[in-house]
Amino acid sequence: MPRFFFDIRDDKGTQRDEEGFELADLSMVREKAQRLLPDIARSEIPGDGDQHVYTVLVTDEDGHAIYSATLTYAGLWLLR
């Protein structure tokens, strides 16, 4: 089964995925990326402000980029 690596980028930099995941096909790659972003946002956003962009860049075993997904969070106080 092929191995894919899911690097996470945000305003702090890039977290490299050194282990990767063995996934059977590209639809599973997309699904894994979609699940990673909300999990990251849930753990990072509460203590870190109201403007964030998180990107997952998926590469294959040869280092070729094959999929990218981005989640943007923008919070705005409406109290006056």
Side-chain angles (χ1 to χ4, degrees):
M1 209 175 322
R3 183 170 294 273
F4 299 93
F5 299 88
F6 294 75
D7 296 342
I8 309 299
R9 295 180 182 173
D10 65 8
D11 60 336
K12 299 174 196 167
T14 300
Q15 296 176 346
R16 298 267 181 223
D17 177 5
E18 300 293 336
E19 295 181 32
F21 296 89
E22 289 185 347
L23 300 170
D25 58 40
L26 294 179
S27 67
M28 292 181 74
V29 168
R30 181 175 177 261
E31 183 178 318
K32 179 71 174 171
Q34 288 175 332
R35 289 185 179 175
L36 276 175
L37 284 170
D39 290 344
I40 294 163
R42 242 186 315 281
S43 65
E44 296 291 326
I45 289 173
D48 212 9
D50 289 325
Q51 304 293 320
H52 296 284
V53 177
Y54 301 97
T55 300
V56 174
L57 177 64
V58 184
T59 56
D60 63 13
E61 294 170 312
D62 296 322
H64 298 113
I66 61 163
Y67 187 80
S68 178
T70 301
L71 177 72
T72 302
Y73 173 81
L76 176 64
W77 286 106
L78 301 176
L79 300 173
R80 295 199 184 256

